[in-house]
Every structure is written in structure tokens, then in C-alpha cells.
Amino acid sequence: MKLLLVEDNADDAAFLGASLRRQQASQVELVHARSIAEARGHLQAGAFDLVLLDLHLPDATGLACVEAIQALDSRVAIVVLSGQDDEDFAVSILNKGVQDYLVKWEGQGRTILRSIRYAIERKRAELRLNYLAQFDPLTEIGNRQYFQDQLQRATARARREGSRVALFFLDIDQFKMVNDTLGHDAGDQLLQQVAQRLSSQVRTGDIMARLGGDEFAILMEGVDNAVDAGTIAQKLLDVIEAPFTLDGHQIKVTTSIGITFYPSDNNDTMRLLKNADIAMYQAKDAGRNNFKFFTERMHTELLEYHDLERDIAEALRKKGFRLVFQPKVNLRTRRLQGLEALLRWDCPKRGSVSPARFIPVAEASGHIVPLGYWVLNSVCETLRAWEADDLPLVPVSVNVSTRQFQQADFQKRVAAALDFHGVTPHLIELEMTEGLLMEDTEAAHRALHDLKNLGVRISIDDFGTGHSCLSYLRRFPIDVLKIDRSFVSEIGENEDSRIIIDAIISLARSLRLDTVAEGVETNDQLDFLLERGCHVAQGFLFGMPMPAAEITPLLRDLFDATTLSPVIKLPAMARG
Ligand code: C2E
Ligand code: MG
Ligand code: MG
């Protein structure tokens, strides 16, 4: 046992030394320092098990003595020596990294020794707990806590030395898919192997951690320019891209990486991780399997995002949204087959804002949930108003964001809205995106079956653009696939788009689902779709999204059509 006694009073030191020697001279090696400065020399020269620390030293007093020792050696146990008059103070600092205290002159050798042994044990336990609290048991690397601690230290060092630190934020692309298709064990194995591969790329001194889920972070001191950071990021991408073997399955995954520098991008340590996270999302948006640097522009976008979010909240309160309806046409009969309700926002400050701009913000902020129910209720009201005018009705589809669908009471609230307005369920179709199919959870299945039993139709919007797992399609009670506009618009130019449309139509046929082509703008597109067997279409060729009042004549025509003419006269272009 190696002890360092830091005590400037010669008598106190002599007494303690003698008491210890009387007991277990052979076991204890006692070194004496008279000040923190002297203690520094000893602690730097060799590892001690414990420091016996006086709190009235020439170069420090009180808690400052403890902090000085801890800064010199964070792993050494500390027992403070107090006089009879300041015992209360000694007790009060027991949770400040001090393991025990001894009142001077009171201790017999045996008591002192017991206290020392106990303090060393306690320190070891503390270190172990501390380690575990900073450790990710799955991948056996540091966790978020560890990373944040290390980040604080690294940035403090960079500040002192005027150097830079690069922070890499990694997220596995579509990790959830691996988990869902191969199971959680395979997901765990993947995380372990990713951690190993990343470890192989970092140098000693770099700090790496798993922040949670499929997120990893790496901190590199001394990487101070975008070129070097880019080279490193590319290596990280490459090492993850090589195939993994999980439970005998070979799979390939990719990652997206966000990079930020301290202090050039931001000198607020707390913001660093957030910024790298933002950059990582940009890398995902740019198509995954790549890296992006955090930039001021992203920061501006973030501010704009918050601004937009506030305005959406206000528009929700002030009923600033309205709905337009776009016709869906049966291509064989040329009759109106249904409508899609689409949101419009005329913002007093910004003018008309496109759903492509505000829907993602409403989704990220959660406003989409109340907004979605507002849409559903408005559609019900519109249907009731048409019904009151004795107009024939066609089903109206309502877009549902995954976020809204994930609410535990979604199906109940849909049922309640229909019930409240007295709308027949088969007049409502819910359009959801493919992301929902990846939500292959018990709850998702139950919700969809409940909706189905209620009588509403379910369609998958923008089909073909997501990463649809076709096997999921079979397992869900879906009625319609909407072929994404991007394929339709390329019918004339792109063979692949034609092949994809063909594949979607035959897939739908085999699963007995209807198909609706989105964004039909030309007669050539129309001809192609008819020939391939897609019988319902929506697009500017038949009608723009328009206010309810402009839909009324179409419905009236439909009414006439059933008795008089088989073909309704849809305007080639009706402004909405
Ligand atoms: P979506 O559900 O796929 O809706 C179809 C979009 O395509 C609409 O854009 C529509 O105006 C546009 N469109 C229709 N025909 C044509 C065409 O022939 N050519 C072209 N170029 N575009 C056509 P919009 O209204 O801007 O909405 C964009 C997206 O915003 C929608 O895509 C939907 O995902 C989302 N959205 C709109 N309203 C709602 C809503 O009430 N709730 C939710 N959750 N999302 C909504
Ligand atoms: Mg839609
Ligand atoms: Mg769509």
C-alpha cells in the first residue's frame, strides 16, 4: 500500500507516521509532502493508492486542497485530516470525491489503517461504477455520458492550446429495417460489428462512443481542416459499406455522417453534438451513405425552421389553413371516382406556403397531429354539406402522416370524427406513406385492422419512392397503391420508370389492390397507364386541386352522368 501524506505540520505528520508504523510497518509505504506543490512531484512520479490530506496547507486550504489532488490524479483515494474544530467541514465534503476523514490525534494506528483500507476500496468501487456509467455494455465502447465528459475535456484543451477538434456524428442508414427484418439479435450484432470496425479506424487519443440506438460519435483532436476530416469520413463510410455477416446472413448497410469543428463552427460545447446531428440529417437527406459538414447555412435553416414552426402553431390556432380537392378519375369511364383533400396555407406573413415546405416542419414539430385531425373534420363537414345539397358523393382521401398514425388513439379518433359528423366510413380513404409499412409493429397492425373494420379504405401514397419492403405489403390490409408522380412524369423519357410502373401494377394486381397514378399531365402518360391496366388517375390533365365550391359542379355532372351521359366533362385545367 503506497500512501502519500500531505501535511505541513511536522508534529501531526510525525504522529501519523508513527501510529501507522506501529501497526503494519511492512504493508505501508508512506511518503511525506509538505504542500500541494510537493505532492504534485510525488503523484507525477508514481502511482499512490491513497492520499492523506491536511486541509490547511501553505498553497491551498479547504476544498481547494481536495480539488488540487483530484486534478493531479483522479484515480487516487483521498482521506482528509481534520482538526477537532473542523470535523463538520470534513463530513460535509465526503461526497465531493473524498472517501473518508480522520480527526487528527484521535486515531489509534488500527483505526487509521481501517479507514485507509476502506477508503481505497470505496474509491475502487466508485471508479468501477463511474466506468460502468460511462460504458455501453453492448458494444463495449463509451456511452453518451462518457462522450460528453470527454468532449468537455477536449474542448477545454483546444481552448487552452488554440487548436481545433473535429466531431463526427454517425448514424446507420435504415438500421430499423435490419432490426425489423432480421430481428433484434441481428441488430445488436450489427451494432457490435460497426463499433469494432469504427474502432479499427480511430487512432489512440481519438474518442469514440455509442450515443444510443444506432448513433455513434467520434472526436478527433488535431483534425483541423475539412480536407482531412473529409478523408477520414470517407474511410468511415467505406469500412461500414463492406458486407456484414449477421446470424449467417450477409447484409450491406451504409451510414450517414455529420461533421462539425470546435471552435470554428460553434464554441458552445453543448451545441456541438446538436450541430453534428443536423449535418448528419443533411447527409441523409442528400441520399445517405455520405457526409456533410455543419455550415452556417444549416444554422440559418434551423432558425427558419423554428420560425416556421411558430407560424404553423399560430395558423392552427387562428384557423389559417384551408382545403382544396383534386379529382381522381376513372380512366375507362372517364368519370369522377374520388377526390383527394390537400392542405393550403395562406400565411399573412409569407404568402402562400407550399405543403412541401410546411408539412415536413409540421411533422417534425408534432403540429401535424392536430392539423391532421382538422383536415379530417373539415373533410367530413364538406361531405355533409354536399350531402345536404343532395349531391352524389365520391370517396375523399385524406393524407395521414405517420406521426399522426402512430398516436395510440388514432383509430378511435377517426371513428369518433366520422361518428360525430355522421359520415359513412366508406367515403373516407386514408393515404399513408410507405414508412408506415416499416412500422411493422403489433400496434400498427391493430390500428390498420381496426380502421379497415370500421370501413375506411387505406391507400399507400407515393408508392415506389420509399424503401418499401414488399413482404410487408402482404401483411397489411391495404386497398390502394398510388404510383408516385415521379415515375408518371418520366413515362415518356425513362425506360426504368416504365418498368417500375409495370411492376407496381402487376404487384397490385397479384395482391388484389387498386392502383392510382399520381400527377398525370399528358395524354401520352394517360395512354400508357390505360394500356398497362392502371384505371384510376389524378393529375393536372384532369383537374388541379380546387376549393370545395368548384368541386360542386363536378359532382352535379356526375349526378347527371349516372342518368344521362356516361362521361363527365372534367375541365382540362381548372385552377385551384
Ligand atoms: P401527395 O399526397 O402525393 O399529393 C399530391 C401532390 O401532387 C399535391 O401537391 C398535388 O397538388 C400534386 N399534383 C397533383 N397532380 C399533379 C400533376 O399533374 N403534376 C404535378 N406536378 N403535381 C401534381 P401538394 O398539394 O403540394 O401536396 C404535397 C404533399 O403534401 C402531398 O403529396 C402530401 O404528402 C402532403 N400533404 C398535402 N396535404 C396534406 C394533409 O392534409 N396532410 C398531410 N399529412 N400531408 C399533406
Ligand atoms: Mg396524397
Ligand atoms: Mg402522392
Side-chain angles (χ1 to χ4, degrees):
M1 220 169 3
K2 221 176 146 188
L3 309 186
L4 177 64
L5 171 63
V6 189
E7 169 66 87
D8 60 335
N9 183 306
D11 291 339
D12 292 354
F15 175 81
L16 240 162
S19 308
L20 279 172
R21 274 192 301 279
R22 268 188 65 224
Q23 282 302 315
Q24 300 274 341
S26 58
Q27 263 188 33
V28 177
E29 185 189 339
L30 188 68
V31 178
H32 182 200
R34 271 166 291 266
S35 63
I36 295 291
E38 268 187 48
R40 175 178 301 120
H42 290 297
L43 286 170
Q44 278 166 355
F48 285 83
D49 297 297
L50 181 129
V51 174
L52 282 161
L53 182 63
D54 180 35
L55 296 178
H56 301 281
L57 294 168
D59 46 1
T61 56
L63 194 55
C65 302
V66 176
E67 285 165 353
I69 296 296
Q70 281 172 335
L72 290 168
D73 182 351
S74 61
R75 307 187 61 84
V76 75
I78 300 174
V79 171
V80 296
L81 303 168
S82 81
Q84 260 115 354
D85 50 343
D86 56 1
E87 190 175 343
D88 287 347
F89 176 73
V91 173
S92 77
I93 61 171
L94 275 182
N95 60 350
K96 299 240 158 64
V98 169
Q99 279 69 47
D100 203 358
Y101 74 97
L102 288 169
V103 179
K104 287 181 193 175
W105 298 96
E106 264 185 6
Q108 296 301 310
R110 202 192 301 263
T111 334
I112 300 173
L113 209 55
R114 196 184 304 133
S115 160
I116 286 171
R117 287 225 179 83
Y118 165 75
I120 291 173
E121 263 328 298
R122 188 161 159 196
K123 182 71 191 181
R124 279 193 191 132
E126 278 174 20
L127 286 172
R128 171 105 194 117
L129 278 177
N130 200 18
Y131 172 73
L132 288 176
Q134 304 219 325
F135 175 77
D136 172 41
L138 177 67
T139 57
E140 300 182 337
I141 62 175
N143 62 16
R144 181 180 285 271
Q145 184 59 48
Y146 165 80
F147 193 77
Q148 266 158 350
D149 289 355
Q150 296 297 319
L151 185 61
Q152 289 290 355
R153 277 181 213 195
T155 50
R157 244 186 327 264
R159 202 163 32 239
R160 272 200 311 275
E161 295 165 8
S163 58
R164 295 223 277 176
V165 176
L167 197 164
F168 300 78
F169 192 114
L170 295 86
D171 186 289
I172 304 174
D173 299 326
Q174 258 129 24
F175 175 71
K176 193 169 168 354
M177 183 88 134
V178 174
N179 245 349
D180 289 353
T181 48
L182 298 179
H184 286 269
D185 280 350
D188 284 355
Q189 283 175 36
L190 177 62
L191 292 172
Q192 286 166 338
Q193 293 184 27
V194 165
Q196 278 163 16
R197 288 195 191 173
L198 294 178
S199 306
S200 74
Q201 294 301 303
V202 304
R203 307 156 308 180
T204 35
D206 293 343
I207 287 143
M208 185 176 117
R210 177 174 168 230
L211 301 179
D214 57 346
E215 292 172 351
F216 294 84
I218 300 174
L219 193 67
M220 297 191 183
E221 291 177 59
V223 174
D224 61 358
N225 66 82
V227 178
D228 290 351
T231 312
I232 293 166
Q234 190 55 54
K235 279 199 193 132
L236 296 172
L237 292 175
D238 292 345
V239 72
I240 300 303
E241 235 194 322
F244 288 89
T245 309
L246 309 174
D247 270 346
H249 297 276
Q250 269 233 340
I251 67 147
K252 281 190 80 165
V253 295
T254 55
T255 35
S256 297
I257 305 179
I259 308 168
T260 189
F261 292 103
Y262 175 90
S264 11
D265 289 337
N266 202 308
N267 55 20
D268 174 356
T269 313
M270 296 319 286
R271 276 229 61 89
L272 277 183
L273 259 181
K274 187 77 213 136
N275 288 352
D277 189 10
I278 292 169
M280 185 279 290
Y281 270 102
Q282 298 283 329
K284 283 222 194 277
D285 279 349
R288 305 192 175 94
N289 196 20
N290 61 20
F291 58 87
K292 278 271 183 281
F293 291 97
F294 178 79
T295 60
E296 263 321 299
R297 196 179 51 75
M298 288 182 199
H299 189 68
T300 318
E301 276 174 13
L302 196 72
L303 296 180
E304 162 62 10
Y305 169 94
H306 287 302
D307 203 35
L308 199 54
E309 190 203 317
R310 264 193 308 276
D311 291 347
I312 292 173
E314 187 178 292
L316 256 173
R317 274 197 308 277
K318 297 192 175 162
K319 308 241 173 291
F321 293 99
R322 63 187 174 94
L323 286 182
V324 288
F325 298 84
Q326 187 178 32
K328 280 187 229 172
V329 174
N330 185 314
L331 297 181
R332 282 182 300 196
T333 62
R334 289 257 172 168
R335 297 244 293 263
L336 182 69
Q337 166 121 0
L339 296 164
E340 175 171 9
L342 293 160
L343 264 170
R344 290 295 175 263
W345 179 25
D346 309 306
C347 173
K349 192 164 103 193
R350 305 158 191 271
S352 160
V353 189
S354 149
R357 175 99 189 88
F358 72 81
I359 295 282
V361 177
E363 276 174 346
S365 59
H367 294 316
I368 195 70
V369 176
L371 189 53
Y373 290 122
W374 178 83
V375 172
L376 181 64
N377 280 298
S378 303
V379 165
C380 290
E381 279 168 17
T382 307
L383 279 166
R384 282 311 300 256
W386 281 331
E387 197 185 23
D389 283 347
D390 281 334
L391 289 165
L393 301 178
V394 290
V396 179
S397 34
V398 171
N399 291 284
V400 174
S401 126
T402 304
R403 178 99 182 237
Q404 188 185 3
F405 175 76
Q406 282 167 341
Q407 304 290 306
D409 59 352
F410 178 69
Q411 68 271 41
K412 287 205 198 79
R413 291 190 63 175
V414 171
L418 295 180
D419 191 48
F420 177 81
H421 295 281
V423 166
T424 336
H426 73 253
L427 283 175
I428 297 290
E429 181 172 301
L430 300 175
E431 291 192 6
M432 322 215 187
T433 49
E434 282 169 282
L436 187 107
L437 300 181
M438 285 166 57
E439 279 296 307
D440 191 21
T441 58
E442 190 51 40
H445 276 269
R446 206 172 326 114
L448 279 180
H449 280 284
D450 285 356
L451 289 167
K452 185 81 195 177
N453 290 336
L454 185 67
V456 300
R457 277 158 63 89
I458 312 286
S459 84
I460 301 299
D461 207 351
D462 309 335
F463 190 75
T465 53
H467 296 258
S468 20
C469 196
L470 297 182
S471 63
Y472 286 173
L473 215 48
R474 233 175 288 271
R475 299 218 288 272
F476 286 105
I478 292 159
D479 304 285
V480 184
L481 297 184
K482 291 190 81 175
I483 304 170
D484 190 64
R485 191 171 79 214
S486 59
F487 305 120
V488 174
S489 70
E490 287 174 355
I491 284 176
E493 301 111 57
N494 189 331
E495 169 70 13
D496 286 335
S497 292
R498 289 195 291 273
I499 293 174
I500 292 170
I501 293 178
D502 259 343
I504 295 175
I505 294 173
S506 59
L507 171 77
R509 193 172 294 138
S510 73
L511 294 172
R512 297 184 206 298
L513 307 179
D514 293 334
T515 41
V516 176
E518 295 187 84
V520 179
E521 293 181 358
T522 68
N523 280 309
D524 288 346
Q525 292 166 354
L526 175 75
D527 292 342
F528 175 84
L529 291 162
L530 254 177
E531 181 205 326
R532 299 307 156 106
C534 171
H535 296 132
V536 183
Q538 179 182 347
F540 295 166
L541 183 64
F542 310 103
M544 300 284 279
M546 49 196 131
E550 290 174 36
I551 294 291
T552 314
L554 299 184
L555 293 171
R556 195 161 288 131
D557 266 2
L558 182 67
F559 185 70
D560 295 340
T562 52
T563 51
L564 303 170
S565 130
V567 177
I568 63 153
K569 301 177 291 289
L570 277 169
M573 278 279 194
R575 281 260 140 223

